Structure formats: C-alpha cells, structure tokens
Amino acid sequence: MFGIPLFPERASTIATEVDALYFFLVGLSVVMSLLIATLVVSFAIRFHRRHADEVGAQVHGGLMLELAWTVVPFLIAMVIFFWGAKVYFVMASPPSETLNIYVVGKQWMWKVQHTTGQREINQLHVPVGRPVKLIMTSEDVIHNFSIPAMRVKSDVIPGRFVQIWFEPTRPGTYQIFCAEYCGTQHSGMIGQVVVMEATAYQSWLSGGAGEGSLASTGEKLFADLACNTCHRPDSRGRGPVLRNVYAHPVQLQDGTMVTADENYLRESILTPAAKLTAGYQPVMPAFQGLVSEEQLLALIEYVKSLSTEQGTPKP
Ligand code: CUA
C-alpha cells in the first residue's frame, strides 16, 4: 500500500492459514465495532429524553433477545477457538522429517549452528520446500526469535530448548527480528533468513564446514571431557549406555518414565542428579557452567547421532 510494507510477505506453508484467521479476527472486530457504535448513536437519537420530567418505560426482560445475544457470541467465540486451535496444532507439531538447525540467542546476536558443521551469525540459510525445525536457546536473557514472513515467533529462554518449525515456499531473503526487549542493542538484534533453491543450498552446504559435522565436534568433546570413560559403548561403564537413548523412554530412579528429548539430554549433562537413570549412582559431575551453549549443542547432537531414531521425540 503506497509502497509502505504494512504486511509481511507470505513465504511459508502456514502463512496463508495464519493470515486467514487474522483477517477473520480483524473483520469481526470491525463489524462488531461498527454495529455497536451505530446502535449507540441511533438509540441515543431515537430514545433521548424529550421533556425535563419524562420517565423511561421499564422493560422486564425479553427472552428471545437475551438468548440471541448469548448464543450468537458463544458460537462466534467457539469458531475462533476451534479455528485458532487448529492453526496452533499445525504450528506446534513439526513433521517427523525435518531439517534441524540450532539457534542460540545472546546479547545481541543470533548464532546459528547447522548439524553439518556450518555456523552463521544473524543469518540462516535454508532450502525451499523442506520443513525446517529450529531448536533454540539463549545464553543470557529472554529473547524472541521472529520471522514475520514465515509467521513464526517464539520466546527463546535461557536454560531450556524451545522449538519452532516452518516450511519455506519461496526463495528469497526475509527478515529475522528479536521481538522481546533484551537490553540496549535489542533493536539491532536482527538478521536474515536466506531461502535457497535445493541445488544452491547444496552448494552452499558444501562450502565452509571445515570443522566437520556438529556430531563429530561433539564426539571429540565427549572424549576431551572424558565422558567416554563412564559412558562406554558396552554396559560395563559407570554411566548408562548412550546408544539409542535419544527419543526413547528412560526409566528414572523414582520409577517414572521420561522421553529423552533435547531438554532431557541438556538437563542430564548440566545437572545429572536431577533425573537419574534407574540403576545408576549419582556419580556424574554437574557440567553447569563448564560447557558453553554451543558445546552443549555439539554433545547433544553427538548423543542424537548414536540413536537410530533421528526424528522428533513423541511426547
Ligand atoms: Cu534479543 Cu531483543
């Protein structure tokens, strides 16, 4: 409109659905506002007091009218609820096969780590037509990762992973914002998503992964930190065997079962005693403060690479 970008492009599969719901809500608000304003003004004109001693007629209920103004808004609210829930569930449940990319927010930049080893700052290269899952955390305060053109947005919180997913539909460059005030340079915490055709993406991938895959970085770190002295491939170690742990159920000391997702692996590295695997002693040192967020990602990716189940853990 007049060259002013009032509305972001639609560049993901979910964008059309999000916009349809948004326009419905805006349209509904306009209709209701006009209806109410018109009734207020017309009733004020029609029923205004004509003499100083005029007394209004008492009205004692009107069943049909009261039913109508209860049932109609209820039905409208239910439409909004079910429609909103439907879009939410699509956005909250990534497909089983996704391209997983890690994002770490810090004051004031976005650090992107690809599983193939590439690292980027304030840039995110993704292929068109493939679902992308971002596994995100923060190493300081709460940030919010937002790509308006993809219609995805999520708080990025220190101490845990959050996930969003989107499937780009058009090659191009799209804006990334931090959408949570996070300090003086918050407004500068921006970047670009570069959506590429599959072939261009492949050639981008083949350059600049000098250090090898993220899992191989993790494997090296696993040895450097001497994790491998207790977590041995056979069951004779002092710690659990890590093969096929990721995305599988784990029985804890207190009898409960958890699924070993990224957040569980993270917690078990940083504070191992919090959710101890049944049958093992709390002998593992806590790595809280000893490994950086990026090292943690590498370790987690290494543990994931030991699992045959590479997909999303089912809750
Ligand atoms: Cu990070 Cu605002």
Side-chain angles (χ1 to χ4, degrees):
M1 189 185 282
F2 311 118
I4 305 168
L6 284 181
F7 217 74
E9 288 175 82
R10 293 187 194 105
S12 73
T13 49
I14 193 73
T16 313
E17 284 182 63
V18 172
D19 286 3
L21 179 59
Y22 176 75
F23 287 130
F24 173 75
L25 290 174
V26 171
L28 188 67
S29 306
V30 169
V31 168
M32 293 309 273
S33 305
L34 286 177
L35 179 69
I36 291 167
T38 310
L39 288 178
V40 166
V41 173
S42 65
F43 285 174
I45 293 167
R46 190 163 160 209
F47 299 114
H48 77 276
R49 199 183 197 193
R50 290 179 177 77
H51 324 285
D53 55 352
E54 188 173 324
V55 177
Q58 282 295 322
V59 177
H60 296 283
L63 184 65
M64 292 319 288
L65 190 62
E66 287 176 19
L67 279 176
W69 80 47
T70 308
V71 171
V72 172
F74 171 75
L75 292 178
I76 293 174
M78 285 300 107
V79 168
I80 296 171
F81 172 72
F82 283 107
W83 191 351
K86 179 176 157 275
V87 177
Y88 175 82
F89 279 117
V90 173
M91 297 177 87
S93 34
S96 52
E97 287 296 318
T98 51
L99 173 65
N100 296 342
I101 301 173
Y102 293 95
V103 174
V104 178
K106 69 168 279 193
Q107 288 170 323
W108 286 277
M109 65 177 81
W110 296 109
K111 295 189 283 190
V112 173
Q113 173 75 66
H114 296 259
T115 55
T116 39
Q118 286 82 1
R119 302 151 72 97
E120 309 185 73
I121 291 192
N122 294 337
Q123 283 225 313
L124 171 60
H125 284 78
V126 291
V128 72
R130 228 179 118 184
V132 175
K133 184 167 76 180
L134 302 179
I135 304 167
M136 309 192 292
T137 188
S138 164
E139 58 176 66
D140 39 46
V141 300
I142 300 177
H143 302 276
N144 185 298
F145 190 87
S146 167
I147 315 171
M150 305 294 168
R151 306 294 188 275
V152 291
K153 183 168 185 267
S154 173
D155 271 358
V156 174
I157 297 162
R160 74 167 95 145
F161 292 114
V162 294
Q163 300 184 347
I164 53 175
W165 80 277
F166 58 92
E167 183 177 330
T169 52
R170 288 200 278 169
T173 302
Y174 307 98
Q175 196 72 38
I176 298 171
F177 290 107
C178 178
E180 174 82 43
Y181 181 68
C182 56
T184 52
Q185 303 296 311
H186 155 73
S187 63
M189 194 167 164
I190 52 177
Q192 271 107 35
V193 186
V194 181
V195 178
M196 311 171 88
E197 295 286 2
T199 47
Y201 179 70
Q202 280 311 319
S203 64
W204 179 82
L205 268 190
S206 59
E211 309 144 46
S213 73
L214 187 57
S216 68
T217 307
E219 183 174 13
K220 189 174 170 298
L221 193 58
F222 195 77
D224 291 349
L225 295 170
C227 311
N228 54 356
T229 56
C230 294
H231 293 286
R232 293 159 46 125
D234 55 45
S235 55
R236 296 207 301 274
R238 286 190 291 167
V241 177
L242 297 181
R243 178 162 296 279
N244 284 337
V245 162
Y246 174 72
H248 288 74
V250 174
Q251 179 155 32
L252 303 183
Q253 202 84 311
D254 61 8
T256 55
M257 301 291 283
V258 295
T259 300
D261 57 6
E262 286 89 354
N263 273 313
Y264 174 76
L265 296 179
R266 174 196 185 91
E267 183 180 39
S268 296
I269 294 168
L270 298 179
T271 48
K275 294 203 178 84
L276 202 61
T277 306
Y280 290 92
Q281 296 302 309
V283 291
M284 177 171 157
F287 282 86
Q288 184 89 57
L290 299 179
V291 289
S292 69
E293 287 297 335
E294 270 115 332
Q295 290 176 318
L296 201 51
L297 297 182
L299 287 171
I300 290 171
E301 195 58 28
Y302 170 61
V303 174
K304 286 168 80 167
S305 74
L306 299 175
S307 176
T308 48
E309 177 67 65
Q310 294 288 309
T312 311
K314 295 284 170 278

